[in-house]
Amino acid sequence: MMCSTYPICSGVGNDSNSGPGATNTSDSNIPGIFDLDVGDTNWVITSSFIIFTMQTGFGMLESGCVSIKNEVNIMMKNVADVVLGGLTYWMFGFALSFGNGPCTTPFMGCGNFFVDPTVKDPLMGPMNAAFLFQLSFATTATTIVSGAMAERCNFKAYCIFSFLNTVVYCIPAGWAWGDHGFLNRLGYVDIAGSGPVHLIGGSSALASAMMLGPRLGRYDMGNEPLPLGSPVNAVMGLFVLWWGWLAFNSGSTYGVSGAKWHYAARAAVQTMMGSFGGGCVGLGYSMFLREGRLDIMDLINSILGSLVSITAGCFLYRSWEALLIGTVGAIIACISMPLIDKMRIDDPVGASSVHGAAAVWGVIAVGLFADNPEPLDTTSGRSGLFKGGGWYMVGVQTLGAFCLTTWGILSTCIILWIVNKIISIRMDPYDELIGADLTEHHIRHSQVGVSRAVSALRPIYHAIADIKDIQNVGSNPGMP
């Protein structure tokens, strides 16, 4: 059970110079993650609530990208990510990221399992606020993977994977943000998670898509994307994610005391500037390649790629730099999506490109463009290469990108291999053909014609008797 083991003095939360995750100077016995005054706590908690709404955005985007026969299934996987991933983050995820017990190493935290400070603990408020904020990040990282596994992953196997997937995120989050983390000690900078959240999620998505293999018939007619099940849902998902991203980045100042509120405002502006650059790329890229026709996913993923790119250094850039970084991130996302399809890696939502490839650029861009955000110690007094800071930050950021990508791919492969030994991670081909909504959740869509498929498969498919009489969504079988 998590309880305070630090000597407490009246200086809690009074250090306005503490950056996100930095150790405070008002009382060196209190880790920086718990260095929150009342105003900072209010900012962190409010940001956490808004970040949590990004789950709605991911769900709408992913359900809009898949075929109608699987839209409920993908939403249920997002629910599972929050419930199961959130539970394991409370049990051990937060501890592995920010634990400071005697067994803590530069690779992994240890201690403070099962977060539950008592009412007599002077750090009860800061602990709960810090946990809630980090929980919102953890559930975001884990749900990125669900889109890459859409339409062919067994739901039961996915639930087991979701339960274990916390490990993929929480350990590298400690590397970057924990006081013990080896990347943090080297000077790695990532304000809001281009690396620990998005690059981990994107590399995990790539590994998952590779291990599952493509959907049935995905590349039979070439590499062109399949039709969207609900384009409106996909665009609405983009808007919800856009909204949540402002809290994601601005909230990562970890408060508004002292000089932090200046940088919180700057983070919001530069987040929008980056997305403007990405949106322009999406419009131009799509219309140029598609003879004047605007492809919805080109625009959506270019904007998301720009947001991923700006996240690592969201308040370290000038406006023109944010615009440039977002533009490059969008180009990377747009170019890498068809390349991944050419390798026959089926990623229905483009998570590997948007959250993976664009995130690599976002992490390295900090080493190129970062200002020293005085008086905060976010960069430990360093500046990027183009600001006269030399090559050190570029080297550390590149090392961080390499470590995070390697960890995301290898750890995901190991977990999926283990899960596959327990229950097959791939859906039965007949389930995949008919659709997971009907076979996994007994939901029949009126606009999806599966009657002939059900009849044709009756001699060989064991579950036909269970699904043939299911009524369409919205129908009332009691009505004459």
Side-chain angles (χ1 to χ4, degrees), residues 29-82:
N29 292 306
I30 302 174
I33 193 173
F34 301 141
D35 182 29
L36 297 167
D37 62 18
V38 175
D40 290 342
T41 300
N42 184 42
W43 178 252
V44 168
I45 291 176
T46 303
S47 298
S48 303
F49 295 163
I50 299 173
I51 295 169
F52 188 77
T53 64
M54 294 178 76
Q55 298 295 332
T56 305
F58 278 116
M60 294 184 70
L61 174 62
E62 293 170 8
S63 66
C65 290
V66 302
S67 57
I68 296 174
K69 65 183 180 180
N70 291 304
E71 64 178 11
V72 174
N73 180 258
I74 196 66
M75 293 293 282
M76 291 301 98
K77 287 175 180 174
N78 277 269
V79 173
D81 284 330
V82 175

Side-chain angles (χ1 to χ4, degrees), residues 60 105 128 158 182 200 212 236 285 314 324 372 375 379 403 417 442 446 455 457:
M60 294 184 70
T105 69
N128 283 319
Y158 185 84
F182 73 92
I200 287 295
L212 275 172
M236 291 297 292
Y285 174 87
C314 51
L324 175 63
N372 175 20
T379 64
C403 292
W417 181 83
H442 281 198
S446 58
S455 298
L457 292 172

Side-chain angles (χ1 to χ4, degrees), residues 59 149 191 203 278 327 334-335 353 356 413-414 462 467 480:
M149 304 173 75
I191 294 169
S203 56
T327 298
C334 287
I335 292 176
S353 300
C413 288
I414 292 171
H462 60 86
I467 64 175

Side-chain angles (χ1 to χ4, degrees), residues 212-223:
L212 275 172
R215 290 165 286 179
L216 291 177
R218 167 62 183 92
Y219 297 109
D220 289 354
M221 304 298 291
N223 297 332

Side-chain angles (χ1 to χ4, degrees), residues 420-450:
N420 196 49
K421 293 294 182 180
I422 300 171
I423 182 172
S424 175
I425 59 175
R426 182 77 191 220
M427 289 172 62
D428 187 292
Y430 306 122
D431 288 345
E432 186 175 346
L433 177 62
I434 295 173
D437 285 5
L438 187 56
T439 60
E440 296 269 17
H441 310 293
H442 281 198
I443 294 175
R444 184 193 292 268
H445 298 281
S446 58
Q447 62 269 53
V448 178
V450 296

Side-chain angles (χ1 to χ4, degrees), residues 342-430:
K342 286 183 178 180
M343 294 186 287
R344 296 295 195 269
I345 300 174
D346 184 15
D347 184 348
V349 300
S352 306
S353 300
V354 171
H355 299 280
V360 172
W361 159 245
V363 169
I364 295 174
V366 174
L368 299 174
F369 296 99
D371 283 325
N372 175 20
E374 297 177 325
L376 305 185
D377 63 353
T378 306
T379 64
S380 302
R382 300 185 181 93
S383 299
L385 175 65
F386 298 153
K387 304 297 178 65
W391 288 92
Y392 183 81
M393 280 192 73
V394 177
V396 172
Q397 296 299 116
T398 303
L399 173 64
F402 174 78
C403 292
L404 294 170
T405 302
T406 303
W407 170 264
I409 292 174
L410 292 180
S411 58
T412 300
C413 288
I414 292 171
I415 291 176
L416 284 175
W417 181 83
I418 293 172
V419 172
N420 196 49
K421 293 294 182 180
I422 300 171
I423 182 172
S424 175
I425 59 175
R426 182 77 191 220
M427 289 172 62
D428 187 292
Y430 306 122

